[in-house]
Each structure stands twice: as structure tokens, then as C-alpha cells.
Amino acid sequence: MKLFVYHTPELTPTDQAPECAIAVDVLRATSTMATVLAAGGEAVQVFSDLDQLMEVSEKWPPLQRLRAGERGGAKVAGFELGNSPLDCTPELVQGRRLFISTTNGTRALKRIQDAPTVIAAALINRAAVVKFLLEKQPETVWIVGSGWEGSFSLEDTVCAGAIAHSIVQHTQLSPDDIAGNDEAISAIALYSQWQDNLLGLLQHASHGKRLLRLDCYEDLKYCSQTDILDVLPIQQELGVLKSLG
């Protein structure tokens, strides 16, 4: 198994696909997706385009759908939810499908949706992702960070490092043995340095600071936790993720 880390969807190779692709948007799309499915949501359907989301979700009965829209960290007007996992309570999401479009995370999922296996990962469900990888042993794995509008983000890279670091620990392999590119080595190094203060790292991150200005400290606190949800959002049909956990 070789892990390739890409800091943004735009950096992924266009002429090939991995056996397994993992989208990461710690702040906050993939954290929200994992939370919704762990709380009993029927599925998460992702859209990069808000108009398309509205068109598709209109075909669902109101009591069976929830619309989540975020642009620039803020909730889209007219949607029930923004992109805060803390709003996704079991009472609200149980049995409902979440139709979601965010600034960065849904773009990452769209970029990798043609891979044979597509997973959404965050720090909060890291252990479930690692367990799946160790059981299935895909030959090539891309961990694709969402970044922020095409640029590097600390929080997604540290999550990629958290996944790779855990695989190293479970297999007794070295980082060199599993790293498919230099970015994987750097991601492991970043996680190793910050693993005991992930909240601190998220507060240093540019998007973390953006969310703090929007009074979202509790979101950062929640998203900085590791291994609290035993849920694996995995693509069942194009753009639709359901839980294996």
C-alpha cells in the first residue's frame, strides 16, 4: 500500500486514478458528513453547484431531506444548515438525506468520485478510515486535502498525516515504506509535531482563524478531536456517501 498526499484537488494527477481515494476537509465538510452519518442520517449527497443541489433535493419530500450550504465559512441563505457538525443532531438528521455544497470539501469529493473506492475522512473518524485501509489493503491510496480555494491548508494536511502515522504504527512499516510522494512524509512530520495539540494547530490555520472570526471556536474544538466516531462515509453511487460504520 502506497499513500499519496495531495494538498488540494487541483494537484491530483489527471491521467490516472488510485484504487482508493480519500477526501479530507477537516474544517468542516468531511467532519460534518461523518457526524451526520454517525447520527443516523440516511446518506450524504455532495454538490459543487448550489443550483444543482436545489434542483435534485426538490425531488425529495421535505421531511426526508436537509440542505446544507456554505460559502466563505458562512451559511447559504435559505438552507437549513451551514457547515457546522455541531448542528447535526440525531433529532434533526435521523433518517434524512443531507444535500451539501461547501466552498472546498465538495470540490475534493467531485474530483475523486470516479475512483473505485471513495471515502470521506476527518480527524474525528480517523480510526475507522485506518481500519478500512488495513483490512482492504488497496495498492494505491490518494489522500486529497480540500485546501482553501486552491491553496494548502494545515488542517487537511495534518489529518492526512494522522492517517499515515496510524498506518505506520499498526504495520511496523516505516514512513518511507508507505509514502508514495514527499507530501506524505511531510504530512506525517506535521502530525508528529502537533498530535498532542491539534486544536492549537487548527487555531493557527488560516481557515481556523476565519472560523474563529465567525464565532466557531466550538467547531474547531470538535473537529480537532481524533477517533471519536466509528463511522466510514463511503461512496455508494456517484456523489452519494453512506455509512459503513
Side-chain angles (χ1 to χ4, degrees):
M1 180 165 49
K2 286 287 185 183
L3 303 182
F4 296 80
V5 173
Y6 297 101
H7 297 313
T8 67
E10 293 79 9
L11 292 172
T12 56
T14 54
D15 59 346
Q16 55 188 280
E19 199 175 324
C20 176
I22 302 172
V24 177
D25 186 8
V26 171
L27 295 175
R28 297 165 285 175
T30 54
S31 296
T32 296
M33 292 171 194
T35 302
V36 165
L37 293 176
E42 180 265 335
V44 173
Q45 190 161 351
V46 300
F47 298 84
S48 46
D49 181 76
L50 289 169
D51 291 335
Q52 190 188 13
L53 183 159
M54 291 299 290
E55 184 184 335
V56 174
S57 63
E58 274 298 319
K59 297 168 185 168
W60 284 64
L63 292 178
Q64 292 177 23
R65 72 177 184 226
L66 279 170
R67 293 168 177 150
E70 170 268 328
R71 290 293 183 269
K75 177 172 169 281
V76 174
F79 281 52
E80 288 98 340
L81 296 167
N83 192 22
S84 173
L86 299 181
D87 292 336
C88 303
T89 60
E91 296 78 19
L92 182 65
V93 306
Q94 183 84 37
R96 301 170 88 174
R97 176 168 294 206
L98 184 76
F99 296 86
I100 184 169
S101 180
T102 69
T103 307
N104 304 293
T106 48
R107 275 182 30 255
L109 277 161
K110 284 286 183 185
R111 170 64 192 90
I112 60 174
Q113 66 182 6
D114 293 326
T117 302
V118 175
I119 294 167
L123 290 167
I124 56 176
N125 72 326
R126 186 263 311 254
V129 173
V130 169
K131 182 184 174 197
F132 177 86
L133 294 176
L134 293 174
E135 283 175 1
K136 301 296 182 185
Q137 289 290 322
E139 198 171 318
T140 52
V141 179
W142 290 2
I143 306 177
V144 182
S146 299
W148 177 261
E149 297 184 344
S151 60
F152 173 93
S153 70
L154 282 170
E155 67 275 8
D156 294 342
T157 303
V158 84
C159 182
I163 292 167
H165 182 272
S166 183
I167 288 172
V168 166
Q169 286 194 315
H170 279 91
T171 60
Q172 306 305 309
L173 295 169
S174 72
D176 279 346
D177 291 328
I178 67 163
N181 60 3
D182 286 359
E183 289 91 332
I185 298 288
S186 69
I188 292 169
L190 181 67
Y191 175 73
S192 298
Q193 181 177 347
W194 286 92
Q195 60 184 312
D196 296 325
N197 186 19
L198 290 170
L199 177 57
L201 180 69
L202 266 54
Q203 289 175 292
H204 282 298
S206 59
H207 191 41
K209 291 175 180 174
R210 195 174 291 111
L211 290 172
L212 288 173
R213 289 194 293 273
L214 294 168
D215 295 325
C216 294
Y217 173 75
E218 292 301 323
D219 277 22
L220 261 65
K221 202 169 160 185
Y222 176 79
C223 294
S224 70
Q225 300 174 96
T226 49
D227 311 335
I228 61 167
L229 297 181
D230 184 20
V231 65
L232 187 78
I234 188 163
Q235 184 170 261
Q236 303 288 319
E237 57 186 273
L238 215 57
V240 178
L241 294 95
K242 295 192 176 186
S243 171
L244 273 192

